[in-house]
Structure formats: structure tokens, C-alpha cells
Amino acid sequence: MARTALVTGGSRGIGAAISKALKEAGYQVAATYAGNDEKAKAFTDETGIKTYKWNVADYDESKAGIEQVESDLGPIDIVVANAGITRDAPFHKMKPEQWKEVVDTNLTGVFNTVHPVWPGMRERGFGRIIVISSINGQKGQFAQVNYAATKAGDLGIVKSLAQEGASKGITANAICPGYIATEMVMAVPEKVREAIIGQIPTGRLGEPEEIARCVTFLASDDSQFINGSTISANGGQFFV
Ligand SMILES: NC(=O)c1ccc[n+]([C@@H]2O[C@H](COP(=O)([O-])OP(=O)(O)OC[C@H]3O[C@@H](n4cnc5c(N)ncnc54)[C@H](OP(=O)(O)O)[C@@H]3O)[C@@H](O)[C@H]2O)c1
């Protein structure tokens, strides 16, 4: 039977490309979203991938949502913790709410997504945890103290889970995308976008599908010996 993959924030942007690539690779896929019903419906109509609405920042909602997915599709074998937000401001102007919202979604959201599926993965002796972090979690970024802190924290989660899961057939890895041509990045003024591209040695933005291909590899049996790693997919913009 086909393995089941859960992709949080899987209805738009990078997450949508990941959901589609996993489906094409033969997995059963559940994609979640926060509130944009219109985009989620259009995504399901286009792809046939079922979408589920819950807030990853809420543990009880996440647990209940995951139970629903498992009742619909079977045990979750692959988790792609992709849902993430930005609430940028220079530190001297950053409000505590901007800090909290980003921490609750990007960091606690990963805990809330992985924790409910972890016991089942341990019992079954197989699991893939793939967390979408960011180049800015590796190098920091002006006006992103909150975002960079969460994305760096996500790498700590992965490195620790890698050690706990290894003996149970579970791997945990992170992908750090650089600047990817999603709606968000394409919406910035062309001049700003050109300045960003100027910092990328490859001379272009990444495509969501390039991140999705990293995910399908990490989800596969072929990646078993890769555990606790960070894949930097950034066109050479930053080396660790
Ligand atoms: N785009 C880039 O260049 C880039 C670079 C590095 C890293 N990343 C990371 O890659 C991931 C995806 O980014 P993206 O640009 O593709 O994002 P996006 O286009 O803004 O899509 C975000 C997705 O996450 C969902 N989401 C947001 N908050 C949520 C919450 N609290 N609970 C559940 N779902 C939630 C959204 O649902 P709704 O549709 O309902 O809002 C949407 O499906 C993020 O973690 C981001 O930090 C992106």
C-alpha cells in the first residue's frame, strides 16, 4: 500500500509543489492550510489532493486534524513541516505579538505537527520528518530576528529528532531554501527582486519544484542513511 504523507501549508507556494511532487511519486498526500479556503479548494480541484484546515500553532487542533487524516488515509509515514509565516520588523520596532506569532507558527508548529505522529512511527519502525527551514535561519537577516530564530530552532529540532528516531527507522532532516519564486517573492517590487537576485551566484530565484525534488528524495527509502542533515537549496547564496 502507498505510504501516506502530510504536508503542512501544502496548498500554496512551496508546499503545493511538495504535495504535487509527492503525489506524482506515488504517495497518498494530505495537504493542510490555515484559512485561505479559496486557494485550498482551487488546489484540490486542480490536483485531487485532499486539504485539511487547522492552525499548526494549536496543539489540540493539530492532534485532532492528524487523527482525521489518519482515519481517512491511514497512518502517516512522512511529515513535511512546511507551514511558515513572516512578520518582519527591525528589532527596535518588533512588537511582542510579532515575535509570538512567528514562534508559535514556525517553531511550536513543528512540535505540534511531529509530536502526534511520532509514537506511531516508532511503533511501525519507519518515518520521515522533513522540516522546511530557511537560509535566513542559517545566516540571520535584517528585520527577521523572530523568523531567523525560529528557522534556526527548527534545525535544532531536526538534529535532536535524528538522534532519537534513528534506532526506530525514523530520519529527520531539514531543507533550507534560499529565495524561491513564490507569490510572496514575485510580489515584491521588481527593483528589490533584482537586488535579491544580484546576491545569488546562480543568477536566478529558485523554483518551488526544486525544493519539492529535495523532499521526494528525503521521503524515499534511498535516503535512509541521511539523518540530521540540512540541505541548503539556495543557488550558492550562502555556504555553511
Ligand atoms: N518563499 C521563499 O522564498 C522561502 C524561502 C525560505 C524558506 N521558506 C519557507 O518555506 C515554507 C513555505 O513558504 P511559502 O513561501 O511557500 O509560503 P506561502 O506561499 O505563504 O504559503 C504558506 C502556507 O502555509 C500555510 N500556513 C501559514 N500559517 C499557518 C498556520 N498557522 N497553520 C497552518 N497552516 C499555515 C498557509 O495556509 P493559507 O493558504 O490558509 O494561508 C499556506 O498553505 C515556509 O516555512 C517558509 O518560511 C520560504
Side-chain angles (χ1 to χ4, degrees), residues 10-28:
S11 63
R12 281 202 291 129
I14 294 172
I18 294 171
S19 300
K20 286 187 214 171
L22 287 171
K23 186 182 178 206
E24 271 163 34
Y27 298 94
Q28 298 197 87

Side-chain angles (χ1 to χ4, degrees), residues 9 11-12 14 34-36 54-56 82 133 147 151 177-178 180 182:
S11 63
R12 281 202 291 129
I14 294 172
N36 193 331
W54 73 74
N55 178 7
V56 296
N82 164 77
S133 174
Y147 182 82
K151 294 298 183 178
I180 307 301
T182 57

Side-chain angles (χ1 to χ4, degrees), residues 115-149:
H115 193 257
V117 300
W118 191 254
M121 286 182 172
R122 280 172 51 87
E123 271 168 34
R124 294 187 299 277
F126 180 88
R128 293 281 185 270
I129 309 295
I130 301 157
V131 179
I132 308 302
S133 174
S134 168
I135 185 175
N136 292 343
Q138 297 172 297
K139 70 171 189 57
Q141 177 63 15
F142 186 92
Q144 287 199 330
V145 163
N146 51 1
Y147 182 82

Side-chain angles (χ1 to χ4, degrees), residues 90-120:
F91 190 54
H92 64 285
K93 290 188 179 166
M94 188 172 283
K95 298 187 172 69
E97 307 85 74
Q98 289 173 300
W99 168 265
K100 189 172 172 348
E101 210 179 328
V102 171
V103 169
D104 287 352
T105 305
N106 297 6
L107 187 64
T108 309
V110 175
F111 175 88
N112 294 343
T113 303
V114 177
H115 193 257
V117 300
W118 191 254

Side-chain angles (χ1 to χ4, degrees), residues 179-216:
Y179 285 87
I180 307 301
T182 57
E183 277 174 46
M184 185 181 72
V185 173
M186 296 314 281
V188 305
E190 200 177 338
K191 238 174 132 183
V192 177
R193 204 163 60 242
E194 290 305 321
I196 292 171
I197 292 170
Q199 295 167 9
I200 305 173
T202 313
R204 65 172 177 86
L205 299 170
E207 295 296 331
E209 291 73 20
E210 294 181 290
I211 305 305
R213 285 195 286 274
C214 298
V215 171
T216 49

Side-chain angles (χ1 to χ4, degrees), residues 21-64:
L22 287 171
K23 186 182 178 206
E24 271 163 34
Y27 298 94
Q28 298 197 87
V29 180
T32 82
Y33 68 105
N36 193 331
D37 296 320
E38 202 181 314
K39 284 271 180 185
K41 185 179 177 310
F43 173 79
T44 299
D45 289 347
E46 180 205 332
T47 63
I49 295 171
K50 206 163 174 216
T51 49
Y52 297 80
K53 178 159 72 169
W54 73 74
N55 178 7
V56 296
D58 185 299
Y59 186 82
D60 292 338
E61 265 189 47
S62 297
K63 193 165 182 293

